[in-house]
Amino acid sequence: MKSFIAGLPKAELHLHIEGTFEPELMFKLAERNGITLPYESVEALHKAYDFSNLQDFLDIYYQGMNVLRTEQDFHDLTWAYLQRVSEQAVSHVEIFFDPQGHVERDISFETALNGIYSALQQGQKQFGISFGIIMCFLRHLDEDDAFKTLEMALPHKDKIIGVGLDSSETGNPPSKFERVFAKAHAEGFHVVAHAGEEGPPEYIIEALDLLKVERVDHGNTCLKDAELVKRLVAEKMPLTVCPLSNTKLCVVDDMKNHPLPEMLKAGLQVMINSDDPAYFGGYLNENYEAISGLLNDDKELLAELAKNSFQSAFISDEGKAAGIQKINDYVTQFNAG
Ligand code: ADE
Ligand code: ZN
C-alpha cells in the first residue's frame, strides 16, 4: 500500500507554510539571524511537540515563526517544503500563510509573501508543481486587524488567490469576520475558513452562511449535526480533512476512531491534507498511510480521496480533469503491475 500511495497523484489544499518549519531548518535560520531558541537541540524541540489541544500547538507554532525574518528565510522554508512534496507525487499545492504573525513582529507583508512566492515559482519550473497562495486572518485578533491585512493584500492580487481564517477556534466564531470576508469576496478572492476542528457545528454553519466559504477547513464536527451533513453533501462542499493533525491535537483520540470513513460513507467531499506537517509527524503520503488501514487499504477509496483533492482545488475545469485522468491512468497501470 505504501508504494501505491507514494505514486498516487495528489493535490494539497490545507497546508500552513509556517507549519512546515522543520526543527533542523529552524535551528539553521536561528543561527543565521543571531536568534537563540529556547531549546538546547533539535531533539529537545521535537520533544516539545506534545500537544493536548489546538492552543498548545499554536503557542509553539507562533514561537517557531519568530525565527523567520528575511525574504530569504521565507523562500528557504517554502523551498524545503516543495523539495519534500516533489518526492510525494504532489502536483498542485494551495498553501496558507499567516501575514499577521509576521507583520506584528515588524516583518513586512511583502517580505513574507515575496519569499514564499519566489520559491513556489521555482517549484513550478523545477518540479512542475502548480500553486496558489491563500492568506489567513488570525481569528484571535479583531476584525479591524483583519481589514488592515486585507488592505495590504490588495496590491498583490496577482500572487494571492484567496483568504482563509485560522488560529484559536473556540470563542472566535466566523461571525466575528463577516464584514471582512464580504469585502474579500467582493475583491475577487476565493474564501475558505477553518471551522469544526474544535468548534461546534454552528461554526461550520456560520462559515457557510456568513462567510460564504467555498471550502471548509477540517469540518470534522459536522458529524454531530445530521441536517448539516445533508446540506454539505447537497452543496458538494469540500472538507479539507487532516488526519495526523487531528490525532496530534487530540481532536480525535486515536487514528482507529478517525471519522474519515464515516465522512466518505455519508457522501461528503473530503480529501486528505497535512496541515502543519513538521509538527504533526508527516507530509501528504504519511497522512494517506495513517488512514489507509481504516479504509481496508482500498485503492479505489484512496484514489477517490486524491481525485477529490483535484476536484476541490481552485484550478480550471481542465486542470481538475487532467488531475483526475492522471489518477485513473496511475491506478490502471498500478493494477496491471
Ligand atoms: N494554524 C496552523 N494550523 C492550524 C490549525 N490546525 N488550526 C487552526 N489554526 C492553525
Ligand atoms: Zn489548518
Side-chain angles (χ1 to χ4, degrees), residues 44-335:
L45 186 49
H46 264 297
K47 278 214 183 92
Y49 295 175
D50 183 21
F51 316 113
S52 2
N53 53 42
L54 174 58
Q55 193 58 50
D56 261 8
F57 155 69
L58 290 170
D59 293 343
I60 290 223
Y61 167 84
Y62 293 122
Q63 183 185 70
M65 67 168 87
N66 274 325
V67 174
L68 298 164
R69 298 281 164 94
T70 66
E71 189 173 317
Q72 187 68 46
D73 294 342
F74 287 92
H75 179 100
D76 291 349
L77 173 72
T78 309
W79 185 244
Y81 164 70
L82 289 165
Q83 280 181 303
R84 276 182 183 262
V85 297
S86 71
E87 292 167 1
Q88 297 206 345
V90 175
S91 61
H92 179 73
V93 296
E94 290 175 11
I95 67 175
F96 297 132
F97 83 115
D98 285 330
Q100 287 154 297
H102 311 303
V103 170
E104 70 183 5
R105 304 182 286 112
D106 287 332
I107 309 299
S108 80
F109 187 95
E110 284 74 21
T111 295
L113 177 63
N114 292 341
I116 295 166
Y117 187 75
S118 66
L120 287 165
Q121 278 188 309
Q122 193 177 326
Q124 172 125 40
K125 245 195 239 152
Q126 201 162 319
F127 304 131
I129 300 175
S130 55
F131 67 88
I133 298 177
I134 297 174
M135 68 161 197
C136 284
F137 301 124
L138 298 181
R139 69 201 304 159
H140 66 272
L141 301 178
D142 62 28
E143 196 184 33
D144 273 353
D145 212 283
F147 265 113
K148 283 188 198 124
T149 310
L150 182 58
E151 286 299 322
M152 292 179 201
L154 294 180
H156 303 292
K157 281 188 186 169
D158 58 328
K159 299 192 178 77
I160 298 173
I161 63 162
V163 304
L165 185 65
D166 68 359
S167 193
S168 321
E169 187 178 12
T170 307
N172 294 299
S175 53
K176 191 174 153 185
F177 297 92
E178 184 176 355
R179 280 149 303 185
V180 75
F181 268 70
K183 168 108 168 58
H185 207 255
E187 290 287 351
F189 289 108
H190 286 292
V191 290
V192 300
H194 283 54
E197 181 182 15
E198 285 186 344
E202 288 74 24
Y203 283 21
I204 301 175
I205 297 170
E206 283 191 11
L208 299 173
D209 289 339
L210 305 181
L211 307 189
K212 316 262 190 256
V213 294
E214 298 162 80
R215 292 196 299 246
V216 173
D217 293 314
H218 295 293
N220 297 36
T221 62
C222 73
L223 293 172
K224 293 182 183 166
D225 179 341
E227 279 305 308
L228 174 57
V229 170
K230 262 197 226 162
R231 175 180 176 185
L232 292 166
V233 171
E235 294 181 8
K236 296 192 170 57
M237 180 58 61
L239 306 182
T240 63
V241 175
C242 307
L244 288 172
S245 165
N246 292 156
T247 50
K248 269 302 240 187
L249 300 187
C250 308
V251 166
V252 173
D253 65 344
D254 191 296
M255 196 59 82
K256 69 176 188 304
N257 298 322
H258 196 280
L260 190 79
E262 190 183 346
M263 294 169 114
L264 270 173
K265 217 174 185 178
L268 288 161
Q269 171 116 351
V270 287
M271 88 301 298
I272 288 183
N273 302 276
S274 66
D275 206 4
D276 301 284
Y279 293 92
F280 302 152
Y283 288 74
L284 259 191
N285 284 357
E286 291 77 18
N287 273 276
Y288 273 81
E289 285 164 15
I291 217 74
S292 181
L294 276 187
L295 303 175
N296 301 316
D297 293 329
D298 184 331
K299 293 203 284 291
E300 286 303 323
L301 285 179
L302 292 167
E304 184 183 330
L305 289 165
K307 285 179 194 176
N308 284 347
S309 71
F310 287 103
Q311 188 59 43
S312 309
F314 295 136
I315 54 177
S316 66
D317 287 346
E318 294 74 31
K320 293 179 186 190
I324 291 165
Q325 186 61 45
K326 251 195 320 190
I327 294 170
N328 284 333
D329 293 346
Y330 174 75
V331 174
T332 305
Q333 222 171 15
F334 191 91
N335 284 338

